[in-house]
Amino acid sequence: MFDPDELEAIREAHEEWDAETLSPTLERFGERKETFETDTGGQTVERLYTPEHVADLDYDRDLGFPGEEPYTRGVYSTMHRGRLWTMRQYAGMGTATETNERFQYLLDEGQTGLSMAFDLPTQMGYDSDDPMAAGEVGKAGVAIDTLADFETVFEGIPLDEVSTSMTINAPASVLLAMYVAMGDEQGVDRAELRGTIQNDVLKEYIARNTYIFPPEPSMRIITDIFEFCAAETPKFNTISISGYHIREAGSTAAQELAFTLGDGIEYVQAAIDAGLDVDEFAPQLSFFFNAHNNVLEEVAKFRAARRMWATIMEERFDPDDPASKQLKFHTQTAGSTLTAQQVENNVVRVAYQALAAVLGGTQSLHTNGKDEALSIPTEQSVRTALRTQQILAHESGAADTIDPLAGSYYVEALTDELEAEAFDILAEVDERGGMAGAIESQWVQRQIQDVAYERQQEIETGERVIVGVNRYRSDEEGQAVDIEEVTEADQRRQVERLERAKAERDDEAVSAALAALRDACEGDANVMPYIVDAVKAYATVGEICDAMRDVFGEHDPGSPV
């Protein structure tokens, strides 16, 4: 960007500034800290960034234009000037009826996409009447047992007019099948269904542990979903490869990048090994990132992610379709940064994190409610979280130009640093047999745990300031906060609802559909059409998962990944 003579002149001017302006100030006043680092990554933040820090930057190679490789500046040519990001507030109340009410409320308030949270039994493939579900029904999200629950959740919501994201992994095939069945009921062409399933089981073995099946059949189900959706629901994103939970577990920004894209590599390779052409499914891949507190680090991370994925796809898989190289992503503000103390402070944290996501070019965004450190967010806090996005969109100007921080010496240097560190981590992952091997050896988990431990130590010693927690505490601590609660009566009603659905269905049709699914699992047929048939017969989530458990077994956390 600068010729050698210009750079030399800048270096000389920098040295002169150091000697004549900076040094006297440092001697007299010093600085707040000896060293400054990024939020979690630990990259040293220099006092001042100049063209010296981006001397090797090549505009065409490293930046380019929006909608063109390497996509650093965005995957679409108009980005948020053409269409704002999808405002997709995460919602899943204890019951299907409550979830429908929350969805209707959010749509009335201007939300542009739906996002479903599921309770823990649903995430683990258990029905609400299963002993394993006791005490957990409806607590972490909505309880879904049969298609009847989906019919209630989406009552009055035309699926050809909304897109829906479902945060579901091990039983993602079942919930996707329910969505397809709902579309069929509404008379919506499957090709018009829009949305995303998370469907990212590798990160479950790393960070969340809501897995069901061993890795090999899990990867088979995922590739079956890729194939089914490519043929039946081409507008539906078949996977949301999630760095969010990796970051929530304690990773650095660079680790979030490396491990997320490493998981992406595994999924692409698995699909190719299963006989799919890369251009049949890669355009439907999507990613899911965390927006943490350090605004500029997060913007650099998002920019680096796009450039890295374009490079990875080009070098490893050689697709013909440019869309196969485009990294499209959803962002959620960082739940791990929310504090139970002084919950009002969380509104500010969320706003800054959302700003980072918008400046970084996200395709959709969830902003956390201020009270999510305590419970499912209340209607009031959800409205404030949604208004945060709307103010960003319509009042802040952050969406009016594309990649507005491009050319910042600091942001460009940090983008390069994060990319380089993430590629170094990926190189080590490759040496360990890819992400599957690195997870099996527990190497990935240890890397994240070590960082999480270090950061917690910094908080406990006060080296890392958490406002309202270890500094700037208030005498108003402990004041009551209104929270949403799921009662035992709510859980009993869900079990009664399940009993009614079972009583009203055709048991012979259910048995036949489950038997056909088991046969498909034992063979090499795509399992998705059989799962769709089963949900249409009102087989339960637990029954369908049990049919697959019968063939595939369950993952033993002590066994290899």
Side-chain angles (χ1 to χ4, degrees), residues 135-174:
E136 293 294 337
V137 175
K139 285 200 170 179
V142 62
I144 298 293
D145 291 314
T146 71
L147 182 60
D149 291 321
F150 250 51
E151 289 167 342
T152 299
V153 167
F154 291 101
E155 184 177 353
I157 300 174
L159 298 192
D160 55 350
E161 296 180 13
V162 298
S163 67
T164 304
S165 174
M166 293 182 279
T167 305
I168 195 72
N169 293 283
S173 57
V174 184

Side-chain angles (χ1 to χ4, degrees), residues 173 293 378:
S173 57
N293 277 333
T378 63

Side-chain angles (χ1 to χ4, degrees), residues 215-329:
E216 186 174 347
S218 293
M219 295 296 278
R220 178 224 168 143
I221 295 167
I222 289 170
T223 56
D224 280 357
I225 290 170
F226 288 177
E227 182 180 50
F228 175 84
C229 289
E232 297 283 335
T233 61
K235 293 183 180 179
F236 211 92
N237 295 313
T238 53
I239 193 168
S240 179
I241 303 163
S242 177
Y244 181 85
H245 303 95
I246 291 170
R247 190 69 173 276
E248 290 290 281
S251 80
T252 68
Q255 287 173 335
E256 180 187 0
L257 274 177
F259 297 146
T260 306
L261 301 186
D263 284 346
I265 292 167
E266 291 282 338
Y267 292 127
V268 173
Q269 189 61 59
I272 290 172
D273 291 345
L276 300 183
D277 181 88
V278 65
D279 289 321
E280 290 178 354
F281 65 88
Q284 291 174 278
L285 304 178
S286 67
F287 290 81
F288 176 21
F289 289 112
N290 199 303
H292 231 263
N293 277 333
N294 188 310
V295 173
L296 299 179
E297 180 183 29
E298 295 303 289
V299 173
K301 179 189 77 180
F302 298 135
R303 300 172 83 245
R306 282 191 292 268
R307 189 161 73 201
M308 289 180 69
W309 189 243
T311 300
I312 287 166
M313 291 300 291
E314 176 67 29
E315 294 182 351
R316 298 190 185 223
F317 303 111
D318 192 26
D320 293 322
D321 186 349
S324 296
K325 306 177 194 178
Q326 295 173 346
L327 182 143
K328 297 178 281 287
F329 66 98

Side-chain angles (χ1 to χ4, degrees), residues 348-365:
V348 182
R349 293 186 176 101
V350 167
Y352 287 139
Q353 293 164 7
L355 175 63
V358 171
L359 294 175
T362 192
Q363 274 61 69
S364 67
L365 176 61

Side-chain angles (χ1 to χ4, degrees), residues 314-461:
E314 176 67 29
E315 294 182 351
R316 298 190 185 223
F317 303 111
D318 192 26
D320 293 322
D321 186 349
S324 296
K325 306 177 194 178
Q326 295 173 346
L327 182 143
K328 297 178 281 287
F329 66 98
H330 170 71
T331 310
Q332 181 174 341
T333 57
S336 60
T337 67
L338 302 180
T339 63
Q341 302 92 330
Q342 299 181 20
V343 294
E344 296 295 335
N345 295 344
N346 294 331
V347 176
V348 182
R349 293 186 176 101
V350 167
Y352 287 139
Q353 293 164 7
L355 175 63
V358 171
L359 294 175
T362 192
Q363 274 61 69
S364 67
L365 176 61
H366 163 83
T367 36
N368 289 329
K370 67 180 181 181
D371 48 3
E372 288 191 46
L374 303 171
S375 73
I376 295 170
T378 63
E379 193 170 277
Q380 180 184 26
S381 64
V382 165
R383 183 173 61 244
T384 299
L386 178 58
R387 294 289 184 261
T388 299
Q389 295 201 47
Q390 291 164 337
I391 290 168
L392 265 174
H394 302 293
E395 298 184 26
S396 73
D400 293 350
T401 190
I402 302 170
D403 193 24
L405 297 183
S408 157
Y409 304 134
Y410 177 42
V411 170
E412 295 297 357
L414 188 52
T415 300
D416 290 347
E417 285 182 37
L418 286 169
E419 179 184 43
E421 184 176 347
F423 269 131
D424 285 345
I425 296 169
L426 273 176
E428 187 156 2
V429 167
D430 285 340
E431 291 176 3
R432 295 173 180 273
M435 282 297 289
I439 296 167
E440 177 182 343
S441 68
Q442 300 287 308
W443 180 80
V444 172
Q445 295 91 317
R446 286 197 303 272
Q447 300 305 301
I448 297 169
Q449 290 162 4
D450 288 348
V451 174
Y453 177 77
E454 290 173 9
R455 298 302 176 255
Q456 185 59 37
Q457 290 294 103
E458 292 168 0
I459 292 169
E460 292 179 7
T461 62

Side-chain angles (χ1 to χ4, degrees), residues 32-103:
R32 289 184 289 117
K33 296 188 292 185
E34 285 189 17
T35 59
F36 290 75
E37 294 182 343
T38 54
D39 184 32
T40 60
Q43 282 89 7
T44 299
V45 180
E46 302 290 344
R47 178 178 294 113
L48 182 72
Y49 286 79
T50 74
E52 300 166 83
H53 292 88
V54 293
D56 295 330
L57 186 70
D58 181 285
Y59 188 89
D60 289 336
R61 180 194 66 205
D62 300 322
L63 298 179
F65 291 94
E68 296 181 0
E69 292 187 48
Y71 304 111
T72 311
R73 306 202 65 187
V75 291
Y76 302 122
S77 59
T78 59
M79 290 301 290
H80 299 145
R81 285 170 64 98
R83 190 178 76 179
L84 291 170
W85 63 93
T86 301
M87 299 179 192
R88 195 186 296 281
Q89 290 302 111
Y90 194 41
M93 309 303 289
T95 67
T97 299
E98 290 175 301
T99 300
N100 176 264
E101 291 170 356
R102 177 61 62 87
F103 280 172

